[in-house]
Amino acid sequence: MTDTTTVYWDPFDREIANDPYPVYRRMRAEAPLWHNSQHDFWVLSRWDDVNSGLVDWPTFSSSRGPILEIIKANVEIPPGTLLMEDPPIHDIHRRLLARVFTPRRVLSLESAIREYCVRCLDRIEGADQFDLMTSYANEVPMRVIGMLLGIPEEDQLAVRERTDARLRTEAGGQMKVSGAALMDTELFANYIDWRAAHPSDDLMTELLGAEFEDEKGVRRTLTREEILTYVTVLAGAGNETTARLIGWLVALLARYPDQRADLLAHRDLIPNTIEETLRFEPTGHAVARYVTRDVQLHGQTVPAGSAMMMLVASANRDERRWDGGERYDIRRRIDQHITFGLGTHYCLGAALARLEGRVALAEFLNRFQEWEVDWDNAALSSTSTMRGWESLPLRVG
């Protein structure tokens, strides 16, 4: 933070990212609409403003991407990239994916998710210390997405590392953006070709055969390039965010031992613990949008062509919406948070993320009732949109 007398937030400042919440609190109170002149973007931090902005896609558009660096780079977005589209084309592509990503399919994965969790925990059985992220939190989502897509287990680690690398940045640095780097579709080319010749019960096979009516009213199946884009989006969206959720669950329950004791005594609180963790420490703490028209907010004009950052992590703690929003309370009554977005761009994988979090936490608690985090050696990974644990070393007893 360069100035202690005025509000300042920089998503690329690692010192701020270590604990951004005091800055968010000041922004809500003193500058609910704020402009960063260094990087030239605007910020909304209050619950009502972020809620309204996420729903108002005609004004705050996703068509140039949900990440600040992508909006600034103004790269061409491949069709089928749901996170980077607006209606009506977004709705066509979303309906197609929703057909192969049904609630029934998600629920059917529970036993397989549990098996992956047990397998990971078996490998660290007897250890008195381990890194939660590398040993557990990163592993489970990778296996689930790999199974869904039909990627052989021996290839899943390489796929996750390559998809995650597109989202990673150097400490304090910005994402390097190009059309090719943004959608590394060739990673999945061989799998698509194999599935075309060897159908199976997975999403790739379903996408290969799915018929739909496109934006021109033509009834057809997806092209190879469209399928590659869909698969790339799913692989990227499903890995890192869910891993960060599992990391935050374990970190927060270590930081608040009274909440952990309550949860251990009342396992039925696990689903609400997932929701409170998503509210309190969202893995995606900011969402970027492209402003399509001049808009008046808090007595200022945000000009068309601007980049707007919606501070989800700030809105989720806004005292105007939450009683004691800065307090972590697994018994809190939560009717809505905005970690998965709202409206048109509500996260298609929200149910799967919740299921993975619920099963991963339950199985972890079956093995460990006491644990401490080695905070001195824990490491946060933060980008302009994501915030979570890169490394979370635990001591268990």
Side-chain angles (χ1 to χ4, degrees):
M1 194 179 301
T2 58
D3 187 344
T4 59
T5 62
T6 58
V7 174
Y8 179 78
W9 179 65
D10 182 342
F12 309 113
D13 187 315
R14 292 304 298 269
E15 182 181 345
I16 295 175
N18 283 336
D19 182 13
Y21 292 103
V23 178
Y24 295 167
R25 190 160 53 246
R26 287 194 62 193
M27 293 177 83
R28 292 195 301 270
E30 303 170 34
L33 174 68
W34 183 78
H35 182 251
N36 183 305
S37 57
Q38 179 183 355
H39 301 295
D40 189 23
F41 65 84
W42 296 80
V43 185
L44 288 171
S45 54
R46 289 182 180 173
W47 172 269
D48 287 344
D49 292 330
V50 175
N51 263 266
S52 299
L54 290 175
V55 173
D56 184 9
W57 62 262
T59 303
F60 301 103
S61 171
S62 297
S63 62
R64 297 201 183 185
I67 297 174
L68 180 62
E69 297 96 309
I70 296 175
I71 292 175
K72 290 292 186 180
N74 195 24
V75 298
E76 183 177 349
I77 307 297
T81 314
L82 280 178
L83 298 174
M84 308 180 194
E85 292 179 330
D86 288 327
I89 190 66
H90 168 275
D91 295 346
I92 293 172
H93 292 150
R94 184 183 178 91
R95 281 195 298 269
L96 182 60
L97 264 188
R99 284 166 42 191
V100 298
F101 214 77
T102 62
R104 178 180 293 183
R105 179 186 284 274
V106 170
L107 287 174
S108 72
L109 299 173
E110 181 166 350
S111 61
I113 294 171
R114 197 172 303 281
E115 178 189 335
Y116 294 144
C117 291
V118 169
R119 195 194 311 173
C120 288
L121 292 168
D122 282 346
R123 288 201 294 265
I124 54 178
E125 185 73 32
D128 57 4
Q129 53 187 358
F130 55 88
D131 188 321
L132 179 89
M133 301 310 296
T134 57
S135 298
Y136 191 52
N138 292 338
E139 286 286 307
V140 175
M142 175 184 71
R143 301 302 180 196
V144 174
I145 289 296
M147 176 185 63
L148 267 174
L149 293 176
I151 297 169
E153 191 162 322
E154 61 270 19
D155 295 346
Q156 289 171 3
L157 178 59
V159 168
R160 187 195 73 201
E161 289 178 343
R162 191 159 160 182
T163 54
D164 285 359
R166 298 200 321 272
L167 303 173
R168 299 294 174 85
T169 60
E170 305 239 340
Q174 300 186 29
M175 181 185 294
K176 295 177 175 64
V177 178
S178 68
L182 188 61
M183 294 301 293
D184 184 13
T185 57
E186 287 308 306
L187 173 61
F188 298 100
N190 290 337
Y191 300 120
I192 291 290
D193 296 338
W194 170 258
R195 276 290 168 249
H198 303 84
S200 183
D201 181 24
D202 56 46
L203 289 185
M204 283 196 202
T205 302
E206 291 199 34
L207 288 171
L208 282 162
E211 288 191 358
F212 72 109
E213 187 175 294
D214 67 16
E215 66 276 18
K216 298 176 183 177
V218 176
R219 188 79 181 170
R220 64 180 179 88
T221 56
L222 290 165
T223 67
R224 181 175 181 274
E225 286 305 311
E226 287 171 332
I227 295 172
L228 283 170
T229 298
Y230 275 118
V231 171
T232 303
V233 169
L234 287 171
N239 265 314
E240 189 164 21
T241 52
T242 307
R244 298 290 177 256
L245 167 60
I246 297 170
W248 280 119
L249 284 164
V250 173
L252 289 172
L253 290 169
R255 186 169 285 162
Y256 300 99
D258 60 324
Q259 301 294 300
R260 178 172 64 191
D262 193 12
L263 180 61
L264 286 166
H266 303 93
R267 296 293 188 94
D268 59 314
L269 289 173
I270 286 178
N272 206 64
T273 301
I274 304 299
E275 298 308 312
E276 175 66 346
T277 301
L278 287 165
R279 180 198 72 84
F280 192 77
E281 285 288 7
T283 53
H285 66 115
V287 177
R289 292 289 188 261
Y290 178 77
V291 183
T292 61
R293 62 176 180 86
D294 289 0
V295 60
Q296 298 289 322
L297 292 163
H298 296 284
Q300 300 182 71
T301 300
V302 179
S306 297
M308 176 67 77
M309 294 289 275
M310 309 278 186
L311 280 184
V312 170
S314 173
N316 271 349
R317 295 193 182 191
D318 189 347
E319 49 283 325
R320 294 160 191 79
R321 171 64 176 79
W322 303 97
D323 181 17
E326 303 275 4
R327 184 180 70 252
Y328 183 64
D329 179 5
I330 65 171
R331 290 182 176 269
R332 181 186 301 277
R333 182 176 178 179
I334 303 174
D335 56 0
Q336 180 196 14
H337 56 69
I338 51 177
T339 297
F340 291 124
L342 283 175
T344 298
H345 290 97
Y346 184 78
C347 177
L348 197 61
L352 179 59
R354 286 183 165 109
L355 176 61
E356 289 184 68
R358 174 169 61 81
V359 175
L361 178 58
E363 292 301 324
F364 185 84
L365 294 177
N366 285 341
R367 304 290 182 110
F368 308 109
Q369 287 75 53
E370 296 288 337
W371 67 90
E372 296 178 351
V373 175
D374 179 4
W375 297 110
D376 290 339
N377 291 302
L380 273 170
S381 171
S382 181
T383 69
S384 64
T385 58
M386 300 283 293
R387 183 171 176 269
W389 296 103
E390 186 78 20
S391 175
L392 194 69
L394 302 184
R395 291 187 291 268
V396 298

